[in-house]
Amino acid sequence: MNKAIISTDQAPAAIGTYSQAVKVGTAVYLSGQIPLVPATMTMVSDDFAEQTHQVFKNLSAVCEAAGGQLQDMVKVNIFLTDLSNFAIVNEIMSQYFRTPYPARAAIGVKELPKGSQIEIDGIMELPSTN
């Protein structure tokens, strides 16, 4: 198995023992992103919508560093500290993805790192080079 570690300064640096993403073949496994601003490593704001936009920006940066784009994601897991925000996630997600949409799960959790209200991870499949 040939693993490539993906890293970019356009997304928050890892704050633990993990990589931003790991590429194996054409599959890229993206670690969870929270709404940290990469340049400052601080939370973008306390506003849920702003946090959600920042998470998608961070995911986009990691996808691009791996040679793909957000639209190449085939699976996303969304972790929310308040499931009543799910409608907002749907509205914002529609601004970043077009059909066909990735498979998705939404999970309610008690808390997330650094007091974040949302975290998203997922799997991206890079386009074929054939």
Side-chain angles (χ1 to χ4, degrees):
M1 173 176 62
N2 188 8
K3 291 192 304 186
I5 303 304
I6 307 302
S7 181
T8 177
D9 61 2
Q10 300 302 304
I15 55 175
T17 55
Y18 61 92
S19 300
Q20 289 173 327
V22 177
K23 178 181 167 195
V24 179
T26 57
V28 180
Y29 301 88
L30 290 92
S31 291
Q33 287 290 329
I34 60 174
L36 295 177
V37 176
T40 62
M41 291 296 290
T42 58
M43 198 67 60
V44 67
S45 89
D46 290 332
D47 179 75
F48 180 78
E50 288 181 32
Q51 286 197 9
T52 304
H53 281 289
Q54 186 64 49
V55 168
F56 281 116
K57 290 174 188 173
N58 293 344
L59 287 169
S60 293
V62 177
C63 288
E64 289 170 15
Q69 57 183 319
L70 199 62
Q71 187 63 35
D72 296 323
M73 291 188 74
V74 295
K75 174 73 166 105
V76 294
N77 296 306
I78 302 170
F79 303 91
L80 301 165
T81 57
D82 183 349
L83 285 173
S84 71
N85 285 322
F86 192 66
I88 297 169
V89 172
N90 273 334
E91 192 276 320
I92 293 172
M93 190 170 168
S94 73
Q95 298 172 35
Y96 291 90
F97 289 93
R98 61 189 183 284
T99 58
Y101 299 119
R104 177 179 78 180
I107 303 119
V109 297
K110 181 179 176 184
E111 59 186 313
L112 290 165
K114 298 200 175 270
S116 172
Q117 299 175 63
I118 183 170
E119 179 173 353
I120 302 176
D121 71 5
I123 302 169
M124 176 176 69
E125 181 68 24
L126 293 171
S128 173
T129 56
N130 295 337

